[in-house]
Amino acid sequence: MYDYTSAAELCLWAEQQLNRSTIYKLGGIGRYDSSGRRVFDCVGLIKCFLWHDYGPGNASYYSKTAPDINADQMYSRATDKGPISTIPEIPGLLVWQTGHIGIYIGNGQVIEATAKRWGSVGGCVVKSQFKDKNAAMYRGTWTHWLKCPFLMYEEDENMGIKDSYITEVYNGLTIQIARMGLDPDYEYKGTVVGKPFGPNAVQRSQSIDDPDLEAAGWQSCGHTNGGIFYKEPSDGNWMASGIEVLMGNATQLWDTRFDSCAAIGFYHSGEMIIGTQAEIKALAAAGQLRGAVTAAFGVKLNGQRWTAGSEFNSQRDYIYSNKSGRTIIGQAANGQYVMVSVPGVSGKSGLTGSQLPALADHLGLTAAVCLDGGGSRYLSYCGSIKTNTTRAVKNDIIIYRRKKATPTPDPKPDTKPDHQPDAAGDGMVLITDKGPLRIRNAVMGDKILCTVPQGEQIDILDMLPGRQKDGYQWAFVSYKPTGKDKIIGYSQVDGDYSQIDEKEN
């Protein structure tokens, strides 16, 4: 049984397909034809693995967990990718050229389902080579490499997934995507920021931040506009359309009209939670949330299409049904936070609410909500504004990050020997047969038994009483020259290396 989330296991599974009878056919995803051959096209080889494979006679997608996308969409979906000349030596990467994709297994080798033939070989699942031009099955047309966005790579356990910002064309629109939350060098904390309800409760997104977090060293990673808001005609106060918790302060929890609508919150630990307003409000009332806001409507929940709030009232129905620019925030299956900005003008261009679940699938989101959009759209990534608005808003959502503290290394063990040779004067340690007092470098014993070269170690057998004014005192020592008998005698010892607390006689 394979681990269908592992890039390394994809390589093993693909090698197994080389040993089977296969045929290339556009749209093939591994089912068997009447001759018992497995039918694949290029991306179908990969999708068959992602969909947990299946046996002969099984015509359904077994445990389908990844979207049904083509080769170019697979490349577009990837966040880690680059020119083929920069490909890392990581088995399980994918290689791509326009309209075609394959599985890199290392050393320039690719397993691919292809219509191409090399003489009599081809038209099936083959192993080709793109680095060695002299190889019999050389293909030199790959242009890019990518990490499959639906697989985990072994080095990810240590390297994590870096925060990123990209743009891509979707349904003819250039959408902006910020992904964050899995870089192992950082810790992350999400929050909702803004001003409590009142006559001056709106402000430009550029001026919105969380001063407490920033004072503690947190920096904005992803920053987007928040929920729908309105001006109360009776008193001129700006209100959130639903609930609102700002930087740990529950400023607006009394609005029950939108309890069945979608909402988003952040625990004090910074983790995101998506649910109905009633569910998020209960957590906020219990003091568990640092931030919360009611969304325009839901997009995905627990991997399923979710449109809570889309037809709640005429305003939300209009927002949902008509094209508009969109702000989406959600979470991928691996826990990564994702912010998306879709361009458009309300009622004229952009995406309808009913198109957003497909976009969420395209981006790999398992939970997501749609926030305020149109002219309120704002997105910045690591301090760089990507989508700006001149409109004042009621609240914003910010994902902060902070470098993890560097662990204090364990203290190095004390490897200093009992005595090190005298580095002053002649750089030698002298051992004599007697131990009367001497002045530095003037031996007072009757006979020099040995001169110990610098760098050699002598063993202290006993310290003699009476430390001298220059910090030296006598010791009874032994020394074993290489290839000779051990020498025992007297020598002076620097006080820095004495481990014995002497008493003066």
Side-chain angles (χ1 to χ4, degrees):
M1 189 68 176
Y2 292 96
D3 176 358
Y4 294 103
T5 66
S6 166
E9 297 270 304
L10 169 64
C11 296
L12 297 176
W13 179 87
E15 291 270 12
Q16 186 186 57
Q17 308 315 306
L18 292 171
N19 300 322
R20 293 180 171 178
S21 177
T22 60
I23 186 172
Y24 176 86
K25 184 178 180 181
L26 189 64
I29 54 172
R31 295 194 178 102
Y32 294 78
D33 67 7
S34 58
S35 300
R37 298 174 297 184
R38 298 206 79 173
V39 182
F40 293 105
D41 67 6
C42 63
V43 74
L45 179 64
I46 300 164
K47 289 190 293 189
C48 183
F49 177 81
L50 296 176
W51 294 343
H52 293 200
D53 206 343
Y54 39 80
N58 182 354
S60 65
Y61 296 174
Y62 174 68
S63 296
K64 181 177 176 181
T65 56
D68 191 358
I69 56 179
N70 62 31
D72 293 348
Q73 290 169 330
M74 183 78 77
Y75 176 75
S76 178
R77 185 78 65 91
T79 57
D80 292 323
K81 53 191 173 184
I84 196 65
S85 60
T86 65
I87 185 170
E89 189 58 25
I90 302 174
L93 292 177
L94 305 182
V95 289
W96 174 82
Q97 65 189 61
T98 301
H100 188 49
I101 199 165
I103 303 164
Y104 183 61
I105 61 172
N107 298 316
Q109 299 178 99
V110 175
I111 296 177
E112 55 177 307
T114 178
K116 179 179 172 64
R117 288 187 172 272
W118 292 263
S120 62
V121 180
C124 57
V125 178
V126 300
K127 183 187 294 185
S128 61
Q129 167 68 240
F130 73 89
K131 291 185 177 180
D132 182 4
K133 294 183 178 180
N134 296 318
M137 297 180 66
Y138 172 73
R139 178 196 285 276
T141 53
W142 302 115
T143 60
H144 291 78
W145 64 269
L146 61 142
K147 281 186 177 180
C148 178
F150 311 108
L151 294 177
M152 293 297 294
Y153 291 78
E154 290 183 1
E155 83 280 6
D156 287 346
E157 296 178 3
N158 297 319
M159 295 176 61
I161 300 176
K162 300 298 183 183
D163 299 331
S164 65
Y165 166 82
I166 64 169
T167 61
E168 69 168 82
V169 177
Y170 179 84
N171 276 17
L173 301 167
T174 300
I175 63 174
Q176 300 167 304
I177 308 155
R179 296 178 180 268
M180 65 217 84
L182 295 182
D183 190 326
D185 293 333
Y186 290 91
E187 52 185 331
Y188 296 84
K189 189 183 287 286
T191 188
V192 179
V193 292
K195 292 182 179 180
F197 66 91
N200 300 310
V202 292
Q203 58 186 318
R204 297 279 296 278
S205 288
Q206 299 97 308
S207 63
I208 294 179
D209 57 28
D210 188 322
D212 292 340
L213 290 182
E214 296 191 5
W218 295 86
Q219 295 179 323
S220 171
C221 184
H223 181 164
T224 191
N225 59 280
I228 301 173
F229 57 101
Y230 64 97
K231 191 172 186 178
E232 179 61 48
S234 61
D235 54 18
N237 287 334
W238 289 99
M239 315 287 287
S241 186
I243 64 170
E244 186 179 65
V245 179
L246 303 173
M247 299 169 285
N249 300 308
T251 59
Q252 200 174 310
L253 293 183
W254 62 81
D255 194 338
T256 61
R257 295 173 298 164
F258 305 101
D259 276 357
S260 61
C261 295
I264 182 171
F266 295 92
Y267 290 102
H268 288 286
S269 62
E271 296 174 343
M272 179 189 294
I273 179 171
I274 289 175
T276 65
Q277 175 180 290
E279 293 168 336
I280 301 301
K281 184 170 65 174
L283 293 172
Q288 297 185 36
L289 302 183
R290 180 176 181 82
V293 68
T294 302
F297 50 85
V299 178
K300 297 278 285 188
L301 187 65
N302 298 322
Q304 303 298 314
R305 180 187 181 96
W306 185 56
T307 59
S310 60
E311 299 177 354
F312 179 77
N313 59 18
S314 58
Q315 180 191 21
R316 275 175 161 73
D317 182 57
Y318 178 86
I319 293 172
Y320 181 81
S321 301
N322 288 271
K323 288 185 175 181
S324 182
R326 303 292 183 180
T327 296
I328 302 169
I329 184 169
Q331 209 163 10
N334 61 5
Q336 190 175 46
Y337 301 128
V338 183
M339 292 178 173
V340 186
S341 184
V342 179
V345 177
S346 181
K348 297 180 180 180
S349 61
L351 295 177
T352 66
S354 61
Q355 292 176 298
L356 298 186
L359 174 59
D361 284 340
H362 174 73
L363 298 174
L365 303 182
T366 57
V369 296
C370 182
L371 300 166
D372 198 2
S376 296
R377 289 186 307 111
Y378 177 84
L379 178 66
S380 73
Y381 175 73
C382 293
S384 174
I385 297 175
K386 305 300 182 182
T387 296
N388 204 357
T389 177
T390 58
R391 181 181 294 178
V393 297
K394 179 70 177 66
N395 50 59
D396 280 7
I397 293 175
I398 304 178
I399 304 295
Y400 280 95
R401 71 179 186 181
R402 181 173 66 179
K403 276 279 190 180
K404 290 181 178 177
T406 303
T408 303
D410 294 333
K412 294 181 178 180
D414 184 6
T415 58
K416 185 168 59 178
D418 291 340
H419 175 65
Q420 294 185 5
D422 186 357
D426 57 9
M428 303 293 183
V429 172
L430 304 180
I431 300 177
T432 68
D433 62 339
K434 293 182 180 179
L437 296 178
R438 65 167 179 151
I439 61 174
R440 188 175 177 84
N441 296 326
V443 179
M444 302 302 293
D446 293 339
K447 182 181 179 182
I448 297 177
L449 300 178
C450 181
T451 301
V452 181
Q454 187 173 10
E456 295 286 323
Q457 180 175 328
I458 63 173
D459 295 321
I460 298 175
L461 304 178
D462 195 14
M463 302 294 295
L464 301 183
R467 189 182 301 278
Q468 305 304 299
K469 292 182 179 180
D470 61 3
Y472 285 78
Q473 73 179 92
W474 284 93
F476 189 47
V477 301
S478 71
Y479 168 67
K480 178 69 170 63
T482 303
K484 297 182 180 180
D485 294 334
K486 183 183 292 186
I487 297 172
I488 297 178
Y490 297 90
S491 182
Q492 282 192 328
V493 179
D494 189 329
D496 290 344
Y497 300 104
S498 172
Q499 301 298 315
I500 298 177
D501 185 14
E502 298 182 282
K503 292 182 180 180
E504 298 288 341
N505 288 337

